[in-house]
């Protein structure tokens, strides 16, 4: 029995070492001093903004108003009214947007809407395409910054996209916001400083027309943005981070809506790790492509709550080995990696989390929050979410 535990321990050590070390390196580089935002210049390239929208009548006005304030010259605003049963299309037209409607009984989701939008643009293609969600706010200079980055790098770029909680939101939502900030800001900033790529996040994505015109959105993935970023990395055109561009939205206030959103994100991410992460890492190593390796390593970092749970399990196995055979070395490894991960979570909180949640609340509720998600992670193996479902926000 002890041998079985030892084998399980060292297998888990190998599987955990890669994401834990990747996470810690990203956070470490992100907190180093010296980074300054680039100067944003007025850009004149022809731009099309694609906004997939499914029953977004309640909030699309705010989105379009923010976009119009940030729009550059030669900008088209195109709303894809996807399987809408409300007056989203009419509201979008009243704000001066082009509207193209799509309806399909079975092929539903953002990926199919984007595929439809790209085909709509193909008759008069722009130089650059930027994708925004229909429930976000686009902040000043964002469009200029994205266009400037695409022109500079000649590839897809991802702006800083944050999903925020309201001041009155419960602690669980604050923890979700902090976890999302680490994923979409702190970790990408670390890789950005190293000249490495980042994942696409869904809103605030910008592409040269030549790239997005050839992209495959019609595969029905529930994390179509992540899948596209991996595809681009496989073509040696991995997306870059553009921290000067800022897009924000709000977590669903409805508990069921937030649960649905979280399950879609995390099941989709875990599916991508299994299907794409290891193969992409192997291809990157074989071809000596650092961007591809970095993209695979970043992809293989699971949601921070799951990483915390796995690290805790690893520490428990270390304790079992110590009690069973008085083996100090495994116990030290288990405790060290758990402390390392916990320390860098706290460092990330110091960098980008102090205005989101207090240290007391983080320390008190983070373990409970992680444990509460065990059922969702287990359901990945028996009740995996594979279809796109719109999150209820109200």
């Amino acid at each position: 029995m002890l041998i079985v535990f030892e084998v399980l321990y060292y297998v888990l050590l190998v599987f955990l070492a890669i994401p834990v070390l990747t996470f810690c390196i990203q956070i470490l580089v992100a907190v180093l001093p010296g980074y300054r935002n680039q100067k944003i210049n007025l850009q004149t390239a022809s731009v099309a903004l694609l906004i997939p929208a499914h029953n977004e009548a309640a909030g699309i006005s705010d989105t379009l108003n923010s976009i119009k304030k940030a729009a550059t010259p030669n900008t088209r605003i195109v709303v894809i009214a996807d399987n809408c049963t409300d007056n989203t299309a009419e509201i979008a037209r009243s704000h001066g947007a082009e509207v193209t409607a799509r309806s399909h009984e079975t092929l539903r989701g953002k990926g199919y809407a984007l595929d439809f939008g790209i085909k709509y643009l193909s008759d008069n293609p722009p130089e650059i395409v930027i994708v925004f969600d229909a429930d976000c706010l686009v902040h000043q200079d964002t469009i200029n910054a994205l266009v400037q980055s695409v022109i500079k790098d000649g590839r897809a770029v991802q702006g800083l996209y944050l999903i925020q909680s309201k001041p009155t939101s419960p602690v669980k939502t604050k923890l979700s916001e902090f976890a999302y900030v680490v994923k979409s800001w702190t970790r990408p900033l670390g890789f950005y400083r190293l000249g490495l790529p980042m994942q696409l996040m869904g809103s605030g994505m910008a592409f040269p027309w030549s790239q997005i015109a050839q992209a495959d959105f019609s595969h029905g993935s529930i994390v179509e943005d992540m899948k596209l970023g991996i595809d681009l990395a496989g073509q040696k055109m991995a997306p870059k981070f553009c921290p000067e561009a800022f897009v924000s939205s709000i977590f669903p206030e409805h508990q069921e809506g937030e649960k649905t959103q979280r399950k879609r994100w995390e099941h989709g991410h875990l599916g991508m790790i299994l299907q794409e992460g290891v193969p992409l890492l192997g291809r990157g190593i074989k071809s000596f492509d650092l961007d591809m390796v970095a993209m695979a390593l970043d992809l293989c970092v699971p949601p921070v709550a799951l990483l915390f749970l796995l690290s805790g399990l690893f520490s428990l196995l270390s304790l079992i080995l110590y009690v069973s055979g008085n083996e100090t070395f495994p116990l030290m490894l288990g405790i060290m990696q758990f402390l390392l991960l916990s320390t860098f979570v706290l460092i990330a909180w110091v960098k980008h989390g102090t205005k989101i949640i207090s240290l007391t609340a983080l320390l008190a509720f983070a373990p409970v929050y992680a444990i509460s998600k065990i059922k969702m992670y287990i359901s990945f193996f028996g009740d995996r979410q594979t279809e796109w479902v719109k999150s209820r926000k109200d």
Side-chain angles (χ1 to χ4, degrees), residues 39 79 106 117 309 361:
K39 181 180 179 180
V79 173
T106 56
L309 288 169

Side-chain angles (χ1 to χ4, degrees), residues 49-56 60 63-64 67 77-84 88 98 100 102 109-117 129-136 202-205 217 224 388 390 393:
L49 311 181
L50 277 186
I51 307 169
H54 172 65
N55 290 345
E56 296 286 356
I60 196 169
T63 299
L64 292 174
I67 286 174
I77 303 175
V78 179
V79 173
I80 306 109
D82 186 53
N83 288 290
C84 289
T88 294
E98 298 178 45
T100 177
R102 173 186 177 272
K110 183 178 176 181
Y112 294 114
L114 287 174
D115 183 68
F116 189 83
V129 174
I130 303 176
V131 177
F132 293 117
D133 285 347
D135 60 350
C136 69
S203 190
M205 309 182 293
F217 286 104
E224 70 294 320
W388 184 88
K390 179 179 172 63
K393 295 180 174 60

